[in-house]
Amino acid sequence: MHNLFQYVPGNSIIHRMNPITKIFLTIVICIAAFVSGNLLFLAGLLAVDLLIGFIAGIPEKTLTIFKGLLKIAIFLFVLQILLVRGGTPVFWIITDEGLLTAARVVLRLVIVCMPLALVLAVTRVTDLTNSLVQVLHVPYKYAFTLSTAIRFIPQFLEEMSGIMEAQTARGVAFDKAKGLKKFSMILPLCAPLLISSVRKTDLTAAAAEVRGFRLRTRQSGYKRYPFTILDLGAAAFCLLLLAAAILL
Amino acid sequence: MIEIQDLTFIYKDEKKPALQDIRLTIPEGGFLGVIGPAGAGKTTLARAVSGMIPHHYTGDYYGSVTVNGMDTVETSLEDISRLVGMVFQDVDSQIISPVVEDELLYGLENFGIPREEIPQRIDEALQKVGIADLRERAVGSLSGGQRQKVAIASIIALRPRILVLDEPTGELDPRSSRQVFSLLKELNEEQRITVIIIEQKIMLLCEFARQLAVLSEGKIVRQGDTRDVLAHAEELEALGVNCPRVTTLSRAVSVKTGEEQPVCLNLDEAEAMVRRLIS
Ligand SMILES: Nc1ncnc2c1ncn2[C@@H]1O[C@H](COP(=O)(O)OP(=O)(O)OP(=O)(O)O)[C@@H](O)[C@H]1O
Ligand SMILES: [Mg+2]
């Protein structure tokens, strides 16, 4: 779980793409998923997601993310088919419209979340922020906030499991609890964790300050992020996806 | 040269001063060890020298800290940082980047080190700390000791004239701790970099530091040449600061023989003393 968001070094074409292109591709996939309601097309988009993970050379991680999302998806699916009342009944209280809506919602959820997680696995966060600043002229302050937030996710999870371990040692049965029960047990732990996180981020801010945070300009980054033929190819692919989404 | 004059500092919203009436001079090219029990104000002292107090941490500030002639209150944090490099006690908070190489790049980029010079500086810093093989690794995948080395390398790469290290060997094994001290000694002797190190491993301090300052409850209770400070071992022990066994030995010998023996700082000196006594 801790390294789910961690960068996996590599030299695949996905790794070598400009970070901006990767963000663009992610956004296009999201838009496409919401523009089109065609189930076949959505299934195709899902396949594209998985394919990207495989091309990037991280099949295990891709499948782990996929499986994690699938759990949430199944829960949502059941909720949807029970809640949607329109259309003709197919079986018990389940309607055809319910099934269709549920399938769409679930597919969209997985399609949208997959690339967001994958981008972090195949892009160094530093490259992400630096390219945002250099290419898209995002103010460095915001880019830094974003990268710090991303950086703290694994640390947060690590501390969380540390606290849970300590509580388990004192006899709190986290592992036996499931679903909502487990959630209600974890919730009270969030406040102290949040406080310690805020303290840590303040220290991190100080660490950045003493290493010239405020001197940093758009041109400071050592690496440059030019667009290459790879990015052109990816852009063409994006257009294709968008066109298909509108037509189908 | 660093001159601290009657410095008293109270963190915002706190009542008790974290530092009180600190008076301390560290000559250029000095090697100062700072020691003291938990909560004594060691980190606060490091923050005052590196300009984080008063620029990042606010509060009631009396007295002055001058670094190479610049008053830290009047100088911008950036200008102080070019001169003073600081390794934090909490390494995890210090490391900003998710990949080792990027962590070293960060300060170099910000301070506008010429592009051509950057790769060489990174290679050199990684080499010196002995982590050249970790260059591409994700910081999250490193051990505590490895992260500590990354933090040290990222500061060394900036080539500050003054190095402040806050318990930089806390997570290191004895061998790596010694390596860090040897590196500091090398920087100190070859490039005349001033070193201020907060450290609990007194044995290492005795061997490498030329001066010691002992802090307790925000005050300096003793300072001076390492040997002179260690001559007051009882006082240190009373504060909960353990003295090295060789020092205890030379003291015990003084008491037993009734004649004052010079304080021993390392095994060689202790050996010499014993040989002298036997012959
Ligand atoms: N950011 C802060 N805000 C408020 N009070 C602080 C802050 N940092 C330290 N203090 C207080 O200042 C005093 C000295 O703390 P300091 O961290 O300097 O001690 P230390 O000698 O470094 O201790 P340790 O050996 O545990 O690292 C303590 O009473 C502490 O609670
Ligand atoms: Mg401290």
Side-chain angles (χ1 to χ4, degrees):
Chain A
M1 185 69 175
H2 304 153
N3 45 19
L4 197 58
F5 298 94
Q6 208 170 66
Y7 171 67
V8 185
N11 202 26
S12 70
I13 55 169
I14 310 286
H15 280 88
R16 278 180 284 142
M17 255 180 217
N18 192 307
I20 302 296
T21 311
K22 294 183 219 180
I23 297 173
F24 184 63
L25 181 58
T26 305
I27 294 173
V28 165
I29 289 176
C30 294
I31 294 175
F34 282 95
V35 167
S36 169
N38 185 320
L39 283 183
L40 265 180
F41 177 73
L42 289 178
L45 272 182
L46 186 59
V48 168
D49 278 355
L50 292 170
L51 195 65
I52 291 174
F54 281 76
I55 295 175
I58 46 167
E60 301 94 30
K61 194 164 197 164
T62 311
L63 289 178
T64 313
I65 299 172
F66 182 63
K67 277 184 208 147
L69 285 170
L70 215 56
K71 277 187 206 151
I72 307 171
I74 290 170
F75 175 71
L76 267 181
F77 187 81
V78 174
L79 209 67
Q80 284 284 325
I81 51 175
L82 294 180
L83 288 181
V84 177
R85 286 281 66 88
T88 46
V90 185
F91 165 74
W92 187 41
I93 56 163
I94 298 164
T95 65
D96 57 349
E97 203 180 304
L99 278 173
L100 213 63
T101 323
R104 274 197 202 114
V105 167
V106 164
L107 274 170
R108 280 176 180 155
L109 174 85
V110 180
I111 291 168
V112 167
C113 290
M114 286 276 300
L116 288 176
L118 283 177
V119 163
L120 293 181
V122 296
T123 321
R124 286 187 184 187
V125 177
T126 326
D127 286 334
L128 208 61
T129 44
N130 282 351
S131 59
L132 280 176
V133 172
Q134 262 177 41
V135 182
L136 295 187
H137 297 214
V138 172
Y140 175 61
K141 243 203 259 173
Y142 300 127
F144 179 78
T145 311
L146 176 74
S147 69
T148 309
I150 295 173
R151 200 188 78 85
F152 269 100
I153 296 172
Q155 206 171 318
F156 192 82
L157 293 174
E158 201 171 300
E159 266 168 45
M160 176 83 105
S161 69
I163 293 183
M164 274 164 69
E165 256 166 45
Q167 300 278 63
T168 309
R170 291 197 189 92
V172 181
F174 281 109
D175 40 351
K176 293 212 186 74
K178 276 261 177 296
L180 272 183
K181 181 92 196 300
K182 183 163 185 175
F183 183 71
S184 70
M185 284 168 94
I186 292 178
L187 203 62
L189 302 181
C190 286
L193 255 176
L194 222 56
I195 293 170
S196 90
S197 293
V198 169
R199 264 204 209 122
K200 286 229 156 112
T201 33
D202 180 58
L203 264 180
T204 304
E209 265 185 291
V210 292
R211 276 185 292 158
F213 172 87
R214 271 181 291 214
L215 298 175
R216 198 173 179 94
T217 65
R218 199 159 73 73
Q219 300 301 332
S220 290
Y222 176 72
K223 289 189 204 154
R224 294 283 174 257
Y225 301 93
F227 288 101
T228 65
I229 188 92
L230 255 179
D231 300 297
L232 204 68
F237 179 70
C238 286
L239 284 182
L240 215 71
L241 267 187
L242 275 181
I246 293 165
L247 293 177
L248 292 172
Chain B
M1 189 164 99
I2 300 161
E3 261 192 296
I4 303 175
Q5 268 169 3
D6 300 322
L7 176 69
T8 294
F9 183 73
I10 307 168
Y11 282 102
K12 195 166 166 247
D13 301 329
E14 297 284 321
K15 289 194 185 70
K16 237 180 107 226
L19 289 177
Q20 203 172 349
D21 301 321
I22 302 289
R23 201 174 295 175
L24 187 65
T25 305
I26 305 147
E28 172 151 19
F31 197 132
L32 172 78
V34 178
I35 196 159
K42 306 181 293 294
T43 299
T44 310
L45 181 67
R47 287 175 182 156
V49 172
S50 62
M52 289 162 70
I53 291 175
H55 292 285
H56 184 87
Y57 296 95
T58 50
D60 296 335
Y61 182 104
Y62 309 94
S64 72
V65 178
T66 345
V67 178
N68 283 12
M70 305 185 301
D71 189 319
T72 54
V73 174
E74 285 153 18
T75 316
S76 75
L77 185 55
E78 283 70 27
D79 286 340
I80 304 169
S81 308
R82 282 180 202 276
L83 211 64
V84 186
M86 170 147 169
V87 177
F88 287 21
Q89 184 170 12
D90 182 356
V91 172
D92 283 333
S93 309
Q94 161 156 13
I95 298 181
I96 294 166
S97 318
V99 177
V100 173
E101 184 183 32
D102 295 339
E103 181 65 12
L104 271 80
L105 263 177
Y106 187 73
L108 295 171
E109 290 174 341
N110 291 350
F111 286 121
I113 306 301
R115 291 181 69 78
E116 322 75 76
E117 212 181 299
I118 287 182
Q120 183 211 335
R121 285 229 198 171
I122 293 181
D123 288 341
E124 193 188 291
L126 288 172
Q127 209 103 58
K128 277 196 166 142
V129 183
I131 50 167
D133 52 326
L134 300 183
R135 190 174 184 139
E136 301 279 326
R137 289 275 294 275
V139 171
S141 72
L142 302 179
S143 74
Q146 288 172 323
R147 283 183 223 186
Q148 213 144 29
K149 290 184 187 174
V150 171
I152 296 171
S154 71
I155 298 301
I156 297 226
L158 298 172
R159 297 191 186 155
R161 291 304 304 159
I162 297 161
L163 259 175
V164 181
L165 306 103
D166 194 352
E167 306 198 17
T169 68
E171 304 245 355
L172 295 182
D173 55 87
R175 197 166 138 255
S176 299
S177 304
R178 181 162 281 277
Q179 273 170 1
V180 167
F181 269 88
S182 302
L183 168 64
L184 295 176
K185 182 183 158 108
E186 181 193 317
L187 294 171
N188 178 254
E189 286 178 354
E190 287 171 14
Q191 298 169 34
R192 273 179 68 76
I193 290 172
T194 309
V195 176
I196 300 172
I197 183 163
I198 298 168
E199 179 58 68
Q200 300 291 357
K201 294 175 182 139
I202 180 97
M203 193 63 221
L204 284 170
L205 275 188
C206 291
E207 205 179 320
F208 288 92
R210 278 194 292 279
Q211 285 183 299
L212 277 188
V214 184
L215 271 179
S216 175
E217 295 181 11
K219 293 186 190 127
I220 292 188
V221 290
R222 202 143 285 282
Q223 62 169 310
D225 290 347
T226 304
R227 214 175 286 275
D228 300 341
V229 170
L230 282 171
H232 300 85
E234 310 90 339
E235 203 179 307
L236 302 190
E237 303 267 358
L239 289 173
V241 175
N242 285 324
C243 290
R245 263 169 291 181
V246 283
T247 316
T248 320
L249 177 71
S250 61
R251 194 156 45 92
V253 170
S254 304
V255 174
K256 260 265 169 13
T257 59
E259 65 180 284
E260 199 61 27
Q261 301 289 338
V263 178
C264 299
L265 292 186
N266 51 44
L267 266 181
D268 291 344
E269 292 182 11
E271 190 191 334
M273 177 185 74
V274 172
R275 281 186 192 284
R276 201 170 57 236
L277 286 169
I278 292 172
S279 61

